[in-house]
Amino acid sequence: MSSTASPGPFDISGKVALVTGSSRGIGSALATGLAEAGAVVVLNSRNVDVLEAERRRIADATGATVHAFAFDVTDSAAVRDAATRIEAEVGPVEIVVNNTGVQHRAPLLEFGDDDFRRVMDTNLTSAFYVGREFARAMVERGHGKIVNICSVQSELGRAGIAPYAASKGGLKMLTRGMCADWAPFGLQINAIAPGYFDTELTSALVNDPEFTAWLAKRTPAGRWGRTEELIGSLLFLASPASDFVNGQILYVDGGMTAVV
Protein backbone atom coordinates (compact mmCIF):
# COMPACT_ATOMS: atom_id res chain seq x y z
CA MET A 1 0.00 0.00 0.00
CA SER A 2 1.52 3.33 -1.05
CA SER A 3 0.74 6.75 0.25
CA THR A 4 1.53 10.23 -0.92
CA ALA A 5 2.63 12.79 1.64
CA SER A 6 0.59 15.96 1.62
CA PRO A 7 2.43 19.26 1.14
CA GLY A 8 3.73 20.83 4.32
CA PRO A 9 2.47 24.17 5.63
CA PHE A 10 5.51 26.00 4.23
CA ASP A 11 5.30 24.47 0.76
CA ILE A 12 5.29 27.03 -2.09
CA SER A 13 6.67 24.78 -4.81
CA GLY A 14 5.35 25.69 -8.25
CA LYS A 15 3.70 28.92 -7.12
CA VAL A 16 4.41 32.03 -9.18
CA ALA A 17 6.01 34.77 -7.08
CA LEU A 18 6.76 38.34 -8.21
CA VAL A 19 9.45 40.31 -6.37
CA THR A 20 9.75 43.97 -7.32
CA GLY A 21 13.12 45.69 -7.15
CA SER A 22 14.83 42.31 -7.23
CA SER A 23 18.01 42.94 -9.23
CA ARG A 24 20.11 43.50 -6.10
CA GLY A 25 20.17 43.78 -2.31
CA ILE A 26 17.23 42.58 -0.24
CA GLY A 27 15.09 41.95 -3.31
CA SER A 28 17.71 39.66 -4.83
CA ALA A 29 18.04 37.73 -1.57
CA LEU A 30 14.28 37.31 -1.24
CA ALA A 31 13.91 36.19 -4.85
CA THR A 32 16.72 33.68 -4.38
CA GLY A 33 15.06 32.32 -1.24
CA LEU A 34 11.74 31.87 -3.05
CA ALA A 35 13.51 30.10 -5.93
CA GLU A 36 15.32 27.78 -3.50
CA ALA A 37 11.92 26.92 -1.99
CA GLY A 38 10.63 25.83 -5.40
CA ALA A 39 8.64 28.85 -6.50
CA VAL A 40 8.54 30.10 -10.08
CA VAL A 41 10.10 33.52 -9.61
CA VAL A 42 9.44 36.70 -11.58
CA LEU A 43 12.11 39.36 -11.15
CA ASN A 44 11.49 43.05 -11.71
CA SER A 45 13.49 46.24 -12.09
CA ARG A 46 13.85 48.92 -14.77
CA ASN A 47 17.31 47.92 -16.04
CA VAL A 48 16.87 45.14 -18.61
CA ASP A 49 20.53 44.09 -18.75
CA VAL A 50 21.07 43.97 -14.99
CA LEU A 51 17.79 42.14 -14.54
CA GLU A 52 18.67 39.49 -17.11
CA ALA A 53 22.05 38.90 -15.49
CA GLU A 54 20.33 38.42 -12.12
CA ARG A 55 17.80 36.07 -13.69
CA ARG A 56 20.59 33.87 -15.03
CA ARG A 57 22.44 33.94 -11.71
CA ILE A 58 19.44 32.83 -9.65
CA ALA A 59 18.36 30.21 -12.18
CA ASP A 60 21.87 28.74 -12.33
CA ALA A 61 22.28 28.78 -8.54
CA THR A 62 18.91 27.24 -7.69
CA GLY A 63 17.76 25.30 -10.75
CA ALA A 64 14.43 27.10 -10.50
CA THR A 65 12.38 28.65 -13.27
CA VAL A 66 13.10 32.38 -13.18
CA HIS A 67 11.60 35.08 -15.40
CA ALA A 68 12.57 38.74 -15.80
CA PHE A 69 10.09 41.52 -16.53
CA ALA A 70 11.46 45.06 -16.72
CA PHE A 71 8.87 47.73 -15.93
CA ASP A 72 8.55 50.89 -13.87
CA VAL A 73 6.53 50.17 -10.72
CA THR A 74 5.87 53.90 -10.26
CA ASP A 75 3.99 54.03 -13.59
CA SER A 76 0.38 52.91 -13.16
CA ALA A 77 -0.14 52.01 -16.83
CA ALA A 78 3.14 50.07 -16.97
CA VAL A 79 2.16 48.07 -13.90
CA ARG A 80 -1.26 47.29 -15.37
CA ASP A 81 0.29 46.07 -18.63
CA ALA A 82 2.90 44.01 -16.77
CA ALA A 83 0.26 42.31 -14.63
CA THR A 84 -1.62 41.26 -17.76
CA ARG A 85 1.56 39.99 -19.47
CA ILE A 86 2.89 38.08 -16.47
CA GLU A 87 -0.43 36.35 -15.78
CA ALA A 88 -0.68 35.38 -19.47
CA GLU A 89 2.93 34.35 -20.09
CA VAL A 90 3.99 32.87 -16.74
CA GLY A 91 0.79 31.93 -14.94
CA PRO A 92 -1.41 33.03 -12.05
CA VAL A 93 0.64 35.11 -9.63
CA GLU A 94 -0.02 33.81 -6.12
CA ILE A 95 2.72 35.71 -4.24
CA VAL A 96 3.63 39.39 -4.63
CA VAL A 97 6.54 40.94 -2.74
CA ASN A 98 6.56 44.75 -2.88
CA ASN A 99 10.24 45.36 -2.25
CA THR A 100 11.15 48.32 -4.47
CA GLY A 101 12.66 51.10 -2.40
CA VAL A 102 14.92 54.13 -2.49
CA GLN A 103 16.64 56.26 0.14
CA HIS A 104 17.60 59.94 0.02
CA ARG A 105 19.36 61.50 3.00
CA ALA A 106 19.13 65.26 3.59
CA PRO A 107 18.09 67.66 6.34
CA LEU A 108 14.35 68.18 6.09
CA LEU A 109 14.67 71.95 5.50
CA GLU A 110 16.87 71.17 2.49
CA PHE A 111 14.79 68.30 1.10
CA GLY A 112 13.74 69.14 -2.46
CA ASP A 113 10.26 68.67 -3.87
CA ASP A 114 11.39 66.25 -6.57
CA ASP A 115 13.38 64.15 -4.11
CA PHE A 116 10.38 63.96 -1.77
CA ARG A 117 8.09 62.82 -4.58
CA ARG A 118 10.63 60.25 -5.79
CA VAL A 119 10.92 58.69 -2.33
CA MET A 120 7.15 58.57 -1.84
CA ASP A 121 6.43 57.26 -5.35
CA THR A 122 9.10 54.56 -5.15
CA ASN A 123 8.48 53.35 -1.61
CA LEU A 124 4.74 53.78 -1.21
CA THR A 125 2.86 54.55 -4.41
CA SER A 126 4.49 51.64 -6.24
CA ALA A 127 3.19 49.18 -3.63
CA PHE A 128 -0.32 50.54 -4.16
CA TYR A 129 -0.07 50.19 -7.94
CA VAL A 130 1.45 46.68 -7.88
CA GLY A 131 -0.74 45.44 -5.05
CA ARG A 132 -3.91 46.73 -6.69
CA GLU A 133 -3.25 45.30 -10.14
CA PHE A 134 -2.20 41.83 -9.01
CA ALA A 135 -4.90 41.69 -6.34
CA ARG A 136 -7.56 41.94 -9.04
CA ALA A 137 -6.90 38.38 -10.22
CA MET A 138 -6.20 37.14 -6.69
CA VAL A 139 -9.62 38.36 -5.56
CA GLU A 140 -11.28 36.55 -8.46
CA ARG A 141 -9.43 33.32 -7.59
CA GLY A 142 -10.12 33.67 -3.88
CA HIS A 143 -6.54 33.43 -2.63
CA GLY A 144 -3.16 35.16 -2.75
CA LYS A 145 -0.31 36.49 -0.65
CA ILE A 146 1.05 40.05 -0.72
CA VAL A 147 4.11 40.87 1.38
CA ASN A 148 5.18 44.51 1.61
CA ILE A 149 8.73 45.34 2.66
CA CYS A 150 8.47 48.00 5.34
CA SER A 151 11.27 49.12 7.69
CA VAL A 152 12.05 49.92 11.30
CA GLN A 153 11.41 53.45 10.04
CA SER A 154 7.77 52.39 9.71
CA GLU A 155 7.85 52.76 13.49
CA LEU A 156 10.88 54.92 14.37
CA GLY A 157 12.11 58.28 13.09
CA ARG A 158 15.69 59.42 12.55
CA ALA A 159 17.11 62.78 11.52
CA GLY A 160 17.89 63.22 7.83
CA ILE A 161 15.43 60.64 6.46
CA ALA A 162 12.00 61.99 7.41
CA PRO A 163 10.41 61.42 3.95
CA TYR A 164 11.72 57.83 3.93
CA ALA A 165 10.16 57.25 7.36
CA ALA A 166 6.91 58.82 6.13
CA SER A 167 6.84 56.53 3.11
CA LYS A 168 7.52 53.41 5.18
CA GLY A 169 5.00 54.47 7.83
CA GLY A 170 2.49 54.89 5.03
CA LEU A 171 3.35 51.43 3.72
CA LYS A 172 2.63 49.96 7.14
CA MET A 173 -0.84 51.43 7.09
CA LEU A 174 -1.37 50.54 3.43
CA THR A 175 -0.63 46.94 4.42
CA ARG A 176 -3.35 47.07 7.06
CA GLY A 177 -5.73 48.80 4.67
CA MET A 178 -5.15 46.14 2.02
CA CYS A 179 -5.95 43.55 4.67
CA ALA A 180 -9.19 45.32 5.56
CA ASP A 181 -10.29 45.43 1.91
CA TRP A 182 -9.03 42.09 0.59
CA ALA A 183 -8.97 39.61 3.48
CA PRO A 184 -12.70 38.92 2.97
CA PHE A 185 -11.76 37.59 -0.50
CA GLY A 186 -9.20 35.10 0.80
CA LEU A 187 -6.02 37.18 0.51
CA GLN A 188 -3.37 37.60 3.19
CA ILE A 189 -1.49 40.90 3.16
CA ASN A 190 1.37 41.31 5.63
CA ALA A 191 4.71 43.09 5.84
CA ILE A 192 8.30 42.44 6.81
CA ALA A 193 10.07 45.37 8.45
CA PRO A 194 13.84 44.94 8.26
CA GLY A 195 16.14 46.70 10.66
CA TYR A 196 19.58 47.79 9.52
CA PHE A 197 20.88 45.41 6.86
CA ASP A 198 24.14 45.50 4.97
CA THR A 199 23.07 46.33 1.38
CA GLU A 200 23.90 48.75 -1.41
CA LEU A 201 21.24 51.08 -0.02
CA THR A 202 23.03 51.34 3.34
CA SER A 203 26.62 51.19 2.10
CA ALA A 204 27.38 54.76 3.21
CA LEU A 205 26.34 53.86 6.75
CA VAL A 206 28.06 50.47 6.73
CA ASN A 207 31.32 52.22 5.83
CA ASP A 208 30.89 54.79 8.61
CA PRO A 209 32.65 53.41 11.73
CA GLU A 210 30.86 55.86 14.02
CA PHE A 211 27.42 54.82 12.74
CA THR A 212 28.26 51.12 12.88
CA ALA A 213 29.41 51.52 16.48
CA TRP A 214 26.15 53.31 17.32
CA LEU A 215 24.16 50.56 15.61
CA ALA A 216 25.93 47.82 17.54
CA LYS A 217 25.01 49.54 20.82
CA ARG A 218 21.44 50.35 19.75
CA THR A 219 20.61 46.84 18.51
CA PRO A 220 20.41 44.01 21.09
CA ALA A 221 21.88 41.60 18.51
CA GLY A 222 24.85 43.95 18.27
CA ARG A 223 25.40 43.87 14.50
CA TRP A 224 24.13 44.59 10.99
CA GLY A 225 21.60 42.15 9.56
CA ARG A 226 22.42 39.86 6.64
CA THR A 227 19.96 39.80 3.75
CA GLU A 228 19.58 36.03 3.84
CA GLU A 229 18.19 36.39 7.37
CA LEU A 230 14.97 37.80 5.87
CA ILE A 231 14.17 34.72 3.81
CA GLY A 232 12.59 32.63 6.57
CA SER A 233 10.11 35.38 7.43
CA LEU A 234 9.13 35.70 3.78
CA LEU A 235 8.63 31.96 3.35
CA PHE A 236 6.31 31.98 6.36
CA LEU A 237 4.23 34.89 5.06
CA ALA A 238 4.18 33.55 1.48
CA SER A 239 3.10 30.02 2.43
CA PRO A 240 -0.06 28.34 3.74
CA ALA A 241 1.53 28.47 7.20
CA SER A 242 0.31 32.07 7.47
CA ASP A 243 -3.23 31.59 6.15
CA PHE A 244 -4.75 33.15 9.30
CA VAL A 245 -2.12 35.88 9.65
CA ASN A 246 -3.30 39.15 8.16
CA GLY A 247 -2.42 42.84 8.34
CA GLN A 248 0.65 42.19 10.48
CA ILE A 249 4.08 43.83 10.43
CA LEU A 250 6.91 41.42 11.27
CA TYR A 251 9.98 43.31 12.47
CA VAL A 252 13.22 41.54 11.63
CA ASP A 253 15.60 43.95 13.31
CA GLY A 254 17.80 42.19 15.84
CA GLY A 255 15.58 43.55 18.60
CA MET A 256 15.93 47.25 17.77
CA THR A 257 12.22 48.11 18.07
CA ALA A 258 11.86 46.08 21.27
CA VAL A 259 14.11 48.24 23.42
CA VAL A 260 14.68 51.89 24.37
Side-chain angles (χ1 to χ4, degrees), residues 141-203:
R141 291 190 289 262
H143 60 87
K145 304 275 187 175
I146 297 175
V147 182
N148 297 324
I149 304 303
C150 288
S151 167
V152 289
Q153 264 73 53
S154 297
E155 202 68 36
L156 305 172
R158 187 164 66 81
I161 58 168
Y164 179 85
S167 70
K168 292 297 187 177
L171 186 56
K172 175 182 73 172
M173 295 312 300
L174 180 63
T175 299
R176 291 175 173 166
M178 287 175 168
C179 166
D181 268 42
W182 298 334
F185 299 97
L187 279 62
Q188 290 84 49
I189 304 91
N190 295 287
I192 297 171
Y196 283 86
F197 279 72
D198 184 353
T199 70
E200 293 92 334
L201 198 66
T202 58
S203 59

Side-chain angles (χ1 to χ4, degrees), residues 24-43:
R24 61 180 184 170
I26 287 175
S28 172
L30 296 178
T32 300
L34 290 168
E36 290 173 340
V40 175
V41 176
V42 180
L43 304 179

